Amino acid sequence: MWVPVAGLSPLLALSAFSGAGRFCILRSAAARWKVVPARNRRGLSDFQPQQLPSEGFRELPAWASKCRFESRRYIISPRLAETLVQFLLKPNGCKMVLEFNPGPGILTQALLQRGATVIAVESDKTFIPHLESLGKKLGGKLHVLHCDFFKLDPRSYGVIKPTVNSKLLFQNFGIETLPWSKGIPLKVVGIFPTKNEKKMIWKLLHDVYSCTSLYRYGRVELNLFINEMDCQKIMADPQNPHLYHALSVLWQVACDIKLLHVEPCSSFDIHTQIGQLENPEWRESSEQQIQQNLCFIQLTPRRNLFTKNLTPVNYDVFFHMLKQCFLKRNAKLIDHLNSLSPVDAMDILKKIKQKKTTKITKMYPADFKNLFETIECSQNYTCKWLYDDFMEEVVI
């Protein structure tokens, strides 16, 4: 059974931390890698977050910001904050919470009042002085960092090492590292920003499967507000074929997913491009006319995610298999098998108990995991995967 990278040998740990590369044929439990420029790896940012000094900020009125160019949502309803606290803090459960982009700190205050220890990771420096003063008033259990949560532990290899990373969070704030088979070391809560949401969802997905970033320290639980369409895609199955994608399979294989709450956009303020908070009820845009609600979902990594044949080292192959399958989503599975693997297609179908007529959109997430592991453990085949490097850049 595979465990987080912290428990792997140095050689396997190095493989798990490496970025996605290009190769022609995948062999059993190994790949022939070619060098890829860091900036091209999975399209992730090489932004270097900076830790903010604790003093010297000028407090601006009405939360005005001079440096924020994209809109962000913030919780402004105490009622909503109390509802979320009930989901997040259970008796005898983990009370260590990382809240990203807390803004004015409505949820932060509710968490602190219920006995949680909160790490507030805020990307807008305007809110920092208020959050720090809030922590002093409520017992000192609030730690404030100025950093973009989605740019922690960048996968690119820049010259300057980021000053805020997951190692700092866990070591400096006394968060206990737990084996993958044990409990939850940390709960993460926040609202996805409206910009680059899909890229951020994929970044978190890669972190889970590779056991990197926060997942290096155990099964970190995500509690996220995302838009309804992305929520429906993540939770879709063959009963909703028009929403069923590779993203659906990967998240459902990796995590136990619960839809905890649906909240209208009127419960949030939006930080606009001109540096003001504007109520969505007053702002009529095509985006908000289509998207009226945000969904609060909980994603808890499964204890049995990793097996002998699906590991933090070869997970990229699993990603590739699913992307190739869903690129022609209406095709039959047997047609895809011939282009995915040199292993006998009929033999694979027999082992996974699928028919020749089975279509991709009729297979459940567990079926795809079974398919991958069956090919991985096939005997008498030196080469088990055929790889089309075109698929590496495809996001579906």
Side-chain angles (χ1 to χ4, degrees), residues 19-25 31-37 41 389 392:
R22 297 179 183 273
F23 48 89
C24 297
I25 295 180
R32 180 159 58 88
W33 300 90
K34 293 183 180 179
V35 176
V36 181
R41 296 182 184 177
D389 64 358
E392 183 178 329

Side-chain angles (χ1 to χ4, degrees), residues 131-281:
L131 291 170
E132 289 179 337
S133 65
L134 184 64
K136 294 177 182 178
K137 293 177 183 178
L138 297 174
K141 286 192 173 183
L142 174 63
H143 309 282
V144 182
L145 290 176
H146 178 239
C147 175
D148 190 331
F149 170 76
F150 295 100
K151 293 169 183 175
L152 289 173
D153 303 316
R155 291 178 177 269
S156 59
Y157 301 98
V159 176
I160 302 176
K161 186 177 181 180
T163 58
V164 178
N165 54 35
S166 58
K167 183 177 180 179
L168 180 149
L169 293 177
F170 276 76
Q171 292 185 354
N172 290 16
F173 300 137
I175 306 174
E176 182 183 3
T177 301
L178 295 177
W180 196 264
S181 60
K182 301 297 182 180
I184 306 298
L186 177 69
K187 296 188 177 186
V188 174
V189 62
I191 306 171
F192 261 91
T194 56
K195 185 178 180 181
N196 295 327
E197 187 173 80
K198 179 175 288 189
K199 183 184 290 187
M200 295 172 186
I201 290 174
W202 277 95
K203 194 266 185 189
L204 289 174
L205 196 55
H206 278 282
D207 288 344
V208 175
Y209 276 89
S210 62
C211 286
T212 52
S213 190
L214 295 177
Y215 296 95
R216 191 181 311 166
Y217 306 97
R219 296 186 301 116
V220 173
E221 178 186 283
L222 297 177
N223 299 271
L224 308 172
F225 272 110
I226 63 175
N227 69 62
E228 279 187 295
M229 181 57 68
D230 282 333
C231 178
Q232 291 170 4
K233 287 181 179 179
I234 287 174
M235 301 187 71
D237 60 23
Q239 303 298 319
N240 312 99
H242 62 294
L243 294 171
Y244 196 40
H245 293 274
L247 191 71
S248 317
V249 175
L250 288 168
W251 272 116
Q252 292 177 47
V253 168
C255 297
D256 176 36
I257 305 174
K258 296 178 181 178
L259 174 59
L260 300 178
H261 186 72
V262 178
E263 187 73 16
C265 287
S266 58
S267 296
F268 305 88
D269 270 359
I270 289 186
H271 199 283
T272 65
Q273 294 181 356
I274 60 175
Q276 296 177 346
L277 286 175
E278 181 177 298
N279 194 302
E281 290 181 335

